[in-house]
Amino acid sequence: MIRLRARSVAALTLASVFGLAAFCWPLIISPASGLAHGADAPWVFALMLPLILAVVLAEISEGGLDAKAVAMLGVLSACGAAVRPLGAGTAGIETVFFLLILGGRVFGPGFGFVLGATTLFTSALLTGGVGPWLPYQMLAAAWFGLGAGLLPRRVRGWQEPVMLAGYGALASLLYGLLMNLSFWPFGTGAGSSSLSYVAGDPILDNLVRLLGFMLATSMGWDAGRALTTGILILVTSAVILRVLRRAAHRARFTR
Amino acid sequence: MPDRLHPAAWWVWALALGTAASRTTNPWLLLLAVAVAGYVVAARRSDEPWAGSYLVFLKFGLAAVGFRLVMHALLGGVEGETVLFSLPEVPLPGWAKGIRLGGPVTAEGVVASLYDGMRLAALLACLGAANALANPKRLLRSMPAALYEVSVAVTVGLTVAPQLVASVKRVWRARELRGDTKRRARTVLVPVLTDALDRSLALAAAMDSRGYGRRGPGSKLAGGLVLAGLLGACFGLYGLLDGTGPAAAGAVVLVLGFGLATAGLVVGGRRVGRTTYRPDRWRAPEFLTVASGLVPAVVMAVFPDGLSPAFAPLALPALPVLPAAGLLVALLPGFVAPAPSRGTK
């Protein structure tokens, strides 16, 4: 539905490289770097990421967001934002990803990327949850919408829900890992506990600490999120895919 | 006189106050920052649904302080001499290098993580103030023109989400009229989703017929600027993280890249020619609000004495006068910002 031009693909790739660095910097930063000292680094990244997101979203929308795509994005973001509070507060039940993944599957990778960003943004505005975590969440959700759009198109029939559920569970686990990576330097400042990142340590040592941080804080949530996303997709995907494809057909959306 | 401040002014004020709070670990200054944000919220919030965000964020902040303390007690970190109590230590395998589970908990370490947690909590309180004070729908209108389509999509989302609740109720009512009183989530899903998608098609048709989506041709210049900017940002970030080259080079390339990308956004925004109905304007209260938020940030950058109190040996930290006075300046919007019209609906 949203055509990705070569230019948009290039911008998307560069922005993703930058975004990946914004997530993984505690693992790769060298002790000689000016950012390695003091507590400024997490805030610097939290300020840079919104601009990168703005640039790449503007680039994609210039490539072709027509009225149908805007309306569909708005309505699906609203659905995602409306079902998100259903799971909040209950450990590990995450209800936003399955819609995101099914939307990306039906309407393609470009739409999935923008849908991931707008869903999380709408939800944050509705619940008053705008903070330094929002750009990270938007980028990670956008990646997973994009990935859902890139899954092989030939897989249909009973294999499709299984593939999507597997992708959803994997993506949810990765989302949890990325969120932990972004929260790690905020949650335990450098040197404040034995699970904090150490700038310039071998990646493996920092990874062990990150794993410890994950086990200590959010493993239950992440596993629950992967499980609920997978089950929700298995149960609802047949019906929702049909409804979404009908809408896409009625609007004669071109891919 | 408008009855609200420009939402961007609230965000700049809150972020500047948060920046000031993030520069210190002095508990008095942090408590003062939380109190300043709380006073302004109490004085100038509307009765819109998001106005309760400040308290929610304050609770998040308390949770963050608790989280820091528990993590410190379990995992150690800053060492000290005054041992409060000892937790049984769990031996870990050799590959878990440096991770400690249990062991002595010192007063110095507890105080250090308390200060650090309080800094995070103060920052969250400032963000909560921005969420409570700024109207998100008005904020969407001030997005850069290049993001016009995306902000329209988010606006549609914000408007449709409450309608979904009404849609669910309508479906249930229709069910009940047909004698089906079981409220099963499964049977509501498809009608509500179909309803929403049909509405989106109707909306798209309405937007098309009103001339939405007419825009100038895409600009090659904007694309070039954006790509060059992103490339510069990536290289600059690499230089900054690597740190082997000259320290300033990475930062300069990074800033240059961001400058180019921003220029690309501006140039790309020119293709959208649109007017705004009743735009939010910058007047004196907006300038005063932004300035009053910047004062404590600047004061703390210029007078860093006493901002990071020592926790070994243990002592009650003193309240540095100048930064405290700077923080009090940030109370100004509580008086100069237009008071929201409350309870007049």
Side-chain angles (χ1 to χ4, degrees), chain B residues 143-173:
Chain B
M143 292 263 260
L147 284 173
Y148 177 55
E149 288 93 346
V150 177
S151 58
V152 169
V154 175
T155 312
V156 172
L158 285 178
T159 324
V160 170
Q163 294 172 3
L164 288 175
V165 181
S167 182
V168 170
K169 285 195 181 133
R170 204 164 57 236
V171 171
W172 268 337
R173 173 102 184 107

PDB file of all heavy atoms in Angstrom, chain B residues 143-173:
ATOM      1  N   MET B 143       3.635  19.823  14.368  1.00  0.00           N
ATOM      2  CA  MET B 143       4.661  18.936  13.787  1.00  0.00           C
ATOM      3  C   MET B 143       5.188  19.566  12.507  1.00  0.00           C
ATOM      4  O   MET B 143       4.476  20.315  11.846  1.00  0.00           O
ATOM      5  CB  MET B 143       4.039  17.584  13.438  1.00  0.00           C
ATOM      6  CG  MET B 143       3.630  16.790  14.647  1.00  0.00           C
ATOM      7  SD  MET B 143       4.859  15.619  15.110  1.00  0.00           S
ATOM      8  CE  MET B 143       4.209  14.122  14.430  1.00  0.00           C
ATOM      9  N   PRO B 144       6.452  19.262  12.148  1.00  0.00           N
ATOM     10  CA  PRO B 144       6.985  19.829  10.897  1.00  0.00           C
ATOM     11  C   PRO B 144       6.121  19.422   9.695  1.00  0.00           C
ATOM     12  O   PRO B 144       5.528  18.350   9.684  1.00  0.00           O
ATOM     13  CB  PRO B 144       8.390  19.238  10.801  1.00  0.00           C
ATOM     14  CG  PRO B 144       8.496  18.226  11.862  1.00  0.00           C
ATOM     15  CD  PRO B 144       7.447  18.498  12.877  1.00  0.00           C
ATOM     16  N   ALA B 145       6.061  20.322   8.716  1.00  0.00           N
ATOM     17  CA  ALA B 145       5.167  20.112   7.574  1.00  0.00           C
ATOM     18  C   ALA B 145       5.478  18.829   6.830  1.00  0.00           C
ATOM     19  O   ALA B 145       4.586  18.188   6.278  1.00  0.00           O
ATOM     20  CB  ALA B 145       5.257  21.304   6.635  1.00  0.00           C
ATOM     21  N   ALA B 146       6.757  18.413   6.846  1.00  0.00           N
ATOM     22  CA  ALA B 146       7.121  17.200   6.110  1.00  0.00           C
ATOM     23  C   ALA B 146       6.439  15.977   6.716  1.00  0.00           C
ATOM     24  O   ALA B 146       6.272  14.965   6.042  1.00  0.00           O
ATOM     25  CB  ALA B 146       8.629  17.020   6.106  1.00  0.00           C
ATOM     26  N   LEU B 147       6.044  16.065   7.992  1.00  0.00           N
ATOM     27  CA  LEU B 147       5.385  14.929   8.643  1.00  0.00           C
ATOM     28  C   LEU B 147       3.871  15.065   8.592  1.00  0.00           C
ATOM     29  O   LEU B 147       3.168  14.447   9.383  1.00  0.00           O
ATOM     30  CB  LEU B 147       5.843  14.837  10.100  1.00  0.00           C
ATOM     31  CG  LEU B 147       7.247  14.271  10.293  1.00  0.00           C
ATOM     32  CD1 LEU B 147       7.655  14.390  11.737  1.00  0.00           C
ATOM     33  CD2 LEU B 147       7.271  12.817   9.870  1.00  0.00           C
ATOM     34  N   TYR B 148       3.376  15.894   7.646  1.00  0.00           N
ATOM     35  CA  TYR B 148       1.951  16.176   7.604  1.00  0.00           C
ATOM     36  C   TYR B 148       1.113  14.906   7.545  1.00  0.00           C
ATOM     37  O   TYR B 148       0.210  14.692   8.364  1.00  0.00           O
ATOM     38  CB  TYR B 148       1.668  17.068   6.393  1.00  0.00           C
ATOM     39  CG  TYR B 148       0.224  17.385   6.197  1.00  0.00           C
ATOM     40  CD1 TYR B 148      -0.503  17.957   7.232  1.00  0.00           C
ATOM     41  CD2 TYR B 148      -0.417  17.129   4.987  1.00  0.00           C
ATOM     42  CE1 TYR B 148      -1.837  18.261   7.052  1.00  0.00           C
ATOM     43  CE2 TYR B 148      -1.741  17.430   4.812  1.00  0.00           C
ATOM     44  CZ  TYR B 148      -2.447  17.991   5.840  1.00  0.00           C
ATOM     45  OH  TYR B 148      -3.769  18.282   5.676  1.00  0.00           O
ATOM     46  N   GLU B 149       1.420  14.015   6.592  1.00  0.00           N
ATOM     47  CA  GLU B 149       0.601  12.810   6.414  1.00  0.00           C
ATOM     48  C   GLU B 149       0.600  11.961   7.678  1.00  0.00           C
ATOM     49  O   GLU B 149      -0.437  11.474   8.113  1.00  0.00           O
ATOM     50  CB  GLU B 149       1.112  11.970   5.235  1.00  0.00           C
ATOM     51  CG  GLU B 149       0.841  12.556   3.871  1.00  0.00           C
ATOM     52  CD  GLU B 149       1.993  13.394   3.395  1.00  0.00           C
ATOM     53  OE1 GLU B 149       2.873  13.727   4.214  1.00  0.00           O
ATOM     54  OE2 GLU B 149       2.009  13.730   2.194  1.00  0.00           O
ATOM     55  N   VAL B 150       1.800  11.772   8.268  1.00  0.00           N
ATOM     56  CA  VAL B 150       1.895  10.919   9.446  1.00  0.00           C
ATOM     57  C   VAL B 150       1.118  11.536  10.605  1.00  0.00           C
ATOM     58  O   VAL B 150       0.417  10.832  11.346  1.00  0.00           O
ATOM     59  CB  VAL B 150       3.372  10.693   9.828  1.00  0.00           C
ATOM     60  CG1 VAL B 150       3.482   9.866  11.078  1.00  0.00           C
ATOM     61  CG2 VAL B 150       4.102  10.008   8.687  1.00  0.00           C
ATOM     62  N   SER B 151       1.204  12.883  10.752  1.00  0.00           N
ATOM     63  CA  SER B 151       0.486  13.470  11.882  1.00  0.00           C
ATOM     64  C   SER B 151      -1.013  13.424  11.643  1.00  0.00           C
ATOM     65  O   SER B 151      -1.784  13.305  12.610  1.00  0.00           O
ATOM     66  CB  SER B 151       0.971  14.891  12.166  1.00  0.00           C
ATOM     67  OG  SER B 151       0.816  15.699  11.046  1.00  0.00           O
ATOM     68  N   VAL B 152      -1.439  13.497  10.365  1.00  0.00           N
ATOM     69  CA  VAL B 152      -2.874  13.320  10.100  1.00  0.00           C
ATOM     70  C   VAL B 152      -3.302  11.912  10.504  1.00  0.00           C
ATOM     71  O   VAL B 152      -4.350  11.707  11.135  1.00  0.00           O
ATOM     72  CB  VAL B 152      -3.204  13.585   8.616  1.00  0.00           C
ATOM     73  CG1 VAL B 152      -4.628  13.146   8.308  1.00  0.00           C
ATOM     74  CG2 VAL B 152      -3.035  15.036   8.289  1.00  0.00           C
ATOM     75  N   ALA B 153      -2.463  10.904  10.172  1.00  0.00           N
ATOM     76  CA  ALA B 153      -2.806   9.520  10.536  1.00  0.00           C
ATOM     77  C   ALA B 153      -2.941   9.386  12.052  1.00  0.00           C
ATOM     78  O   ALA B 153      -3.871   8.746  12.551  1.00  0.00           O
ATOM     79  CB  ALA B 153      -1.747   8.554  10.008  1.00  0.00           C
ATOM     80  N   VAL B 154      -2.026  10.023  12.807  1.00  0.00           N
ATOM     81  CA  VAL B 154      -2.105   9.926  14.270  1.00  0.00           C
ATOM     82  C   VAL B 154      -3.349  10.659  14.789  1.00  0.00           C
ATOM     83  O   VAL B 154      -4.023  10.186  15.713  1.00  0.00           O
ATOM     84  CB  VAL B 154      -0.821  10.486  14.913  1.00  0.00           C
ATOM     85  CG1 VAL B 154      -0.942  10.509  16.417  1.00  0.00           C
ATOM     86  CG2 VAL B 154       0.360   9.627  14.518  1.00  0.00           C
ATOM     87  N   THR B 155      -3.661  11.808  14.156  1.00  0.00           N
ATOM     88  CA  THR B 155      -4.873  12.517  14.565  1.00  0.00           C
ATOM     89  C   THR B 155      -6.108  11.659  14.337  1.00  0.00           C
ATOM     90  O   THR B 155      -6.999  11.582  15.195  1.00  0.00           O
ATOM     91  CB  THR B 155      -5.007  13.831  13.768  1.00  0.00           C
ATOM     92  OG1 THR B 155      -3.766  14.512  13.814  1.00  0.00           O
ATOM     93  CG2 THR B 155      -6.080  14.712  14.365  1.00  0.00           C
ATOM     94  N   VAL B 156      -6.151  10.996  13.177  1.00  0.00           N
ATOM     95  CA  VAL B 156      -7.263  10.082  12.908  1.00  0.00           C
ATOM     96  C   VAL B 156      -7.322   9.008  13.985  1.00  0.00           C
ATOM     97  O   VAL B 156      -8.390   8.692  14.535  1.00  0.00           O
ATOM     98  CB  VAL B 156      -7.117   9.449  11.506  1.00  0.00           C
ATOM     99  CG1 VAL B 156      -8.150   8.350  11.301  1.00  0.00           C
ATOM    100  CG2 VAL B 156      -7.255  10.491  10.421  1.00  0.00           C
ATOM    101  N   GLY B 157      -6.144   8.474  14.330  1.00  0.00           N
ATOM    102  CA  GLY B 157      -6.095   7.438  15.357  1.00  0.00           C
ATOM    103  C   GLY B 157      -6.633   7.932  16.684  1.00  0.00           C
ATOM    104  O   GLY B 157      -7.405   7.241  17.350  1.00  0.00           O
ATOM    105  N   LEU B 158      -6.230   9.158  17.072  1.00  0.00           N
ATOM    106  CA  LEU B 158      -6.684   9.709  18.356  1.00  0.00           C
ATOM    107  C   LEU B 158      -8.189   9.901  18.360  1.00  0.00           C
ATOM    108  O   LEU B 158      -8.840   9.768  19.389  1.00  0.00           O
ATOM    109  CB  LEU B 158      -6.006  11.056  18.612  1.00  0.00           C
ATOM    110  CG  LEU B 158      -4.552  11.015  19.019  1.00  0.00           C
ATOM    111  CD1 LEU B 158      -4.010  12.422  19.189  1.00  0.00           C
ATOM    112  CD2 LEU B 158      -4.397  10.244  20.308  1.00  0.00           C
ATOM    113  N   THR B 159      -8.759  10.224  17.190  1.00  0.00           N
ATOM    114  CA  THR B 159     -10.192  10.466  17.139  1.00  0.00           C
ATOM    115  C   THR B 159     -10.972   9.162  17.093  1.00  0.00           C
ATOM    116  O   THR B 159     -12.062   9.068  17.668  1.00  0.00           O
ATOM    117  CB  THR B 159     -10.522  11.300  15.878  1.00  0.00           C
ATOM    118  OG1 THR B 159      -9.463  12.211  15.675  1.00  0.00           O
ATOM    119  CG2 THR B 159     -11.815  12.030  16.033  1.00  0.00           C
ATOM    120  N   VAL B 160     -10.416   8.172  16.397  1.00  0.00           N
ATOM    121  CA  VAL B 160     -11.166   6.928  16.197  1.00  0.00           C
ATOM    122  C   VAL B 160     -11.165   6.065  17.459  1.00  0.00           C
ATOM    123  O   VAL B 160     -12.150   5.399  17.752  1.00  0.00           O
ATOM    124  CB  VAL B 160     -10.590   6.153  14.989  1.00  0.00           C
ATOM    125  CG1 VAL B 160     -11.186   4.766  14.906  1.00  0.00           C
ATOM    126  CG2 VAL B 160     -10.880   6.902  13.703  1.00  0.00           C
ATOM    127  N   ALA B 161     -10.055   6.098  18.227  1.00  0.00           N
ATOM    128  CA  ALA B 161      -9.951   5.189  19.377  1.00  0.00           C
ATOM    129  C   ALA B 161     -11.145   5.267  20.326  1.00  0.00           C
ATOM    130  O   ALA B 161     -11.702   4.230  20.704  1.00  0.00           O
ATOM    131  CB  ALA B 161      -8.640   5.438  20.121  1.00  0.00           C
ATOM    132  N   PRO B 162     -11.605   6.476  20.723  1.00  0.00           N
ATOM    133  CA  PRO B 162     -12.788   6.502  21.588  1.00  0.00           C
ATOM    134  C   PRO B 162     -14.047   5.980  20.893  1.00  0.00           C
ATOM    135  O   PRO B 162     -14.930   5.408  21.545  1.00  0.00           O
ATOM    136  CB  PRO B 162     -12.947   7.982  21.945  1.00  0.00           C
ATOM    137  CG  PRO B 162     -11.653   8.609  21.631  1.00  0.00           C
ATOM    138  CD  PRO B 162     -11.063   7.817  20.517  1.00  0.00           C
ATOM    139  N   GLN B 163     -14.120   6.173  19.552  1.00  0.00           N
ATOM    140  CA  GLN B 163     -15.306   5.691  18.832  1.00  0.00           C
ATOM    141  C   GLN B 163     -15.389   4.176  18.840  1.00  0.00           C
ATOM    142  O   GLN B 163     -16.477   3.611  18.703  1.00  0.00           O
ATOM    143  CB  GLN B 163     -15.278   6.186  17.383  1.00  0.00           C
ATOM    144  CG  GLN B 163     -15.422   7.690  17.262  1.00  0.00           C
ATOM    145  CD  GLN B 163     -15.206   8.165  15.843  1.00  0.00           C
ATOM    146  OE1 GLN B 163     -15.007   7.361  14.937  1.00  0.00           O
ATOM    147  NE2 GLN B 163     -15.226   9.474  15.657  1.00  0.00           N
ATOM    148  N   LEU B 164     -14.225   3.515  18.986  1.00  0.00           N
ATOM    149  CA  LEU B 164     -14.245   2.048  19.008  1.00  0.00           C
ATOM    150  C   LEU B 164     -15.048   1.539  20.197  1.00  0.00           C
ATOM    151  O   LEU B 164     -15.756   0.535  20.098  1.00  0.00           O
ATOM    152  CB  LEU B 164     -12.816   1.509  19.074  1.00  0.00           C
ATOM    153  CG  LEU B 164     -12.002   1.652  17.809  1.00  0.00           C
ATOM    154  CD1 LEU B 164     -10.584   1.199  18.047  1.00  0.00           C
ATOM    155  CD2 LEU B 164     -12.619   0.830  16.692  1.00  0.00           C
ATOM    156  N   VAL B 165     -14.924   2.244  21.328  1.00  0.00           N
ATOM    157  CA  VAL B 165     -15.688   1.842  22.513  1.00  0.00           C
ATOM    158  C   VAL B 165     -17.185   1.913  22.200  1.00  0.00           C
ATOM    159  O   VAL B 165     -17.956   0.993  22.512  1.00  0.00           O
ATOM    160  CB  VAL B 165     -15.323   2.750  23.702  1.00  0.00           C
ATOM    161  CG1 VAL B 165     -16.086   2.319  24.933  1.00  0.00           C
ATOM    162  CG2 VAL B 165     -13.838   2.716  23.946  1.00  0.00           C
ATOM    163  N   ALA B 166     -17.589   3.027  21.572  1.00  0.00           N
ATOM    164  CA  ALA B 166     -18.993   3.172  21.192  1.00  0.00           C
ATOM    165  C   ALA B 166     -19.403   2.061  20.232  1.00  0.00           C
ATOM    166  O   ALA B 166     -20.516   1.520  20.311  1.00  0.00           O
ATOM    167  CB  ALA B 166     -19.211   4.544  20.558  1.00  0.00           C
ATOM    168  N   SER B 167     -18.471   1.695  19.339  1.00  0.00           N
ATOM    169  CA  SER B 167     -18.760   0.646  18.365  1.00  0.00           C
ATOM    170  C   SER B 167     -19.001  -0.689  19.069  1.00  0.00           C
ATOM    171  O   SER B 167     -19.941  -1.428  18.731  1.00  0.00           O
ATOM    172  CB  SER B 167     -17.591   0.556  17.390  1.00  0.00           C
ATOM    173  OG  SER B 167     -17.827  -0.397  16.411  1.00  0.00           O
ATOM    174  N   VAL B 168     -18.158  -0.994  20.073  1.00  0.00           N
ATOM    175  CA  VAL B 168     -18.333  -2.236  20.836  1.00  0.00           C
ATOM    176  C   VAL B 168     -19.702  -2.245  21.508  1.00  0.00           C
ATOM    177  O   VAL B 168     -20.438  -3.232  21.458  1.00  0.00           O
ATOM    178  CB  VAL B 168     -17.210  -2.382  21.891  1.00  0.00           C
ATOM    179  CG1 VAL B 168     -17.522  -3.520  22.841  1.00  0.00           C
ATOM    180  CG2 VAL B 168     -15.883  -2.614  21.223  1.00  0.00           C
ATOM    181  N   LYS B 169     -20.072  -1.117  22.106  1.00  0.00           N
ATOM    182  CA  LYS B 169     -21.377  -1.043  22.796  1.00  0.00           C
ATOM    183  C   LYS B 169     -22.512  -1.252  21.814  1.00  0.00           C
ATOM    184  O   LYS B 169     -23.503  -1.922  22.119  1.00  0.00           O
ATOM    185  CB  LYS B 169     -21.510   0.319  23.480  1.00  0.00           C
ATOM    186  CG  LYS B 169     -20.667   0.416  24.729  1.00  0.00           C
ATOM    187  CD  LYS B 169     -21.072   1.602  25.570  1.00  0.00           C
ATOM    188  CE  LYS B 169     -20.177   1.680  26.799  1.00  0.00           C
ATOM    189  NZ  LYS B 169     -19.680   3.017  27.033  1.00  0.00           N
ATOM    190  N   ARG B 170     -22.367  -0.672  20.603  1.00  0.00           N
ATOM    191  CA  ARG B 170     -23.421  -0.802  19.597  1.00  0.00           C
ATOM    192  C   ARG B 170     -23.598  -2.265  19.205  1.00  0.00           C
ATOM    193  O   ARG B 170     -24.716  -2.769  19.090  1.00  0.00           O
ATOM    194  CB  ARG B 170     -23.059   0.046  18.385  1.00  0.00           C
ATOM    195  CG  ARG B 170     -24.260   0.449  17.570  1.00  0.00           C
ATOM    196  CD  ARG B 170     -23.949   1.582  16.618  1.00  0.00           C
ATOM    197  NE  ARG B 170     -22.849   1.274  15.714  1.00  0.00           N
ATOM    198  CZ  ARG B 170     -21.764   2.015  15.597  1.00  0.00           C
ATOM    199  NH1 ARG B 170     -21.616   3.089  16.332  1.00  0.00           N
ATOM    200  NH2 ARG B 170     -20.814   1.685  14.747  1.00  0.00           N
ATOM    201  N   VAL B 171     -22.463  -2.961  19.022  1.00  0.00           N
ATOM    202  CA  VAL B 171     -22.545  -4.371  18.631  1.00  0.00           C
ATOM    203  C   VAL B 171     -23.221  -5.192  19.731  1.00  0.00           C
ATOM    204  O   VAL B 171     -24.097  -6.025  19.462  1.00  0.00           O
ATOM    205  CB  VAL B 171     -21.133  -4.914  18.321  1.00  0.00           C
ATOM    206  CG1 VAL B 171     -21.173  -6.410  18.130  1.00  0.00           C
ATOM    207  CG2 VAL B 171     -20.576  -4.249  17.087  1.00  0.00           C
ATOM    208  N   TRP B 172     -22.836  -4.913  20.987  1.00  0.00           N
ATOM    209  CA  TRP B 172     -23.449  -5.653  22.096  1.00  0.00           C
ATOM    210  C   TRP B 172     -24.954  -5.409  22.159  1.00  0.00           C
ATOM    211  O   TRP B 172     -25.751  -6.300  22.391  1.00  0.00           O
ATOM    212  CB  TRP B 172     -22.798  -5.207  23.424  1.00  0.00           C
ATOM    213  CG  TRP B 172     -21.634  -6.062  23.790  1.00  0.00           C
ATOM    214  CD1 TRP B 172     -21.408  -7.335  23.365  1.00  0.00           C
ATOM    215  CD2 TRP B 172     -20.538  -5.721  24.626  1.00  0.00           C
ATOM    216  NE1 TRP B 172     -20.242  -7.810  23.890  1.00  0.00           N
ATOM    217  CE2 TRP B 172     -19.685  -6.835  24.674  1.00  0.00           C
ATOM    218  CE3 TRP B 172     -20.194  -4.570  25.350  1.00  0.00           C
ATOM    219  CZ2 TRP B 172     -18.513  -6.848  25.412  1.00  0.00           C
ATOM    220  CZ3 TRP B 172     -19.029  -4.585  26.088  1.00  0.00           C
ATOM    221  CH2 TRP B 172     -18.199  -5.711  26.112  1.00  0.00           C
ATOM    222  N   ARG B 173     -25.323  -4.149  21.945  1.00  0.00           N
ATOM    223  CA  ARG B 173     -26.750  -3.778  22.014  1.00  0.00           C
ATOM    224  C   ARG B 173     -27.519  -4.540  20.933  1.00  0.00           C
ATOM    225  O   ARG B 173     -28.591  -5.096  21.193  1.00  0.00           O
ATOM    226  CB  ARG B 173     -26.858  -2.269  21.827  1.00  0.00           C
ATOM    227  CG  ARG B 173     -28.233  -1.726  21.709  1.00  0.00           C
ATOM    228  CD  ARG B 173     -28.691  -1.082  23.020  1.00  0.00           C
ATOM    229  NE  ARG B 173     -30.085  -0.645  22.908  1.00  0.00           N
ATOM    230  CZ  ARG B 173     -31.079  -1.260  23.502  1.00  0.00           C
ATOM    231  NH1 ARG B 173     -30.867  -2.302  24.261  1.00  0.00           N
ATOM    232  NH2 ARG B 173     -32.315  -0.823  23.360  1.00  0.00           N
TER     233      ARG B 173
END
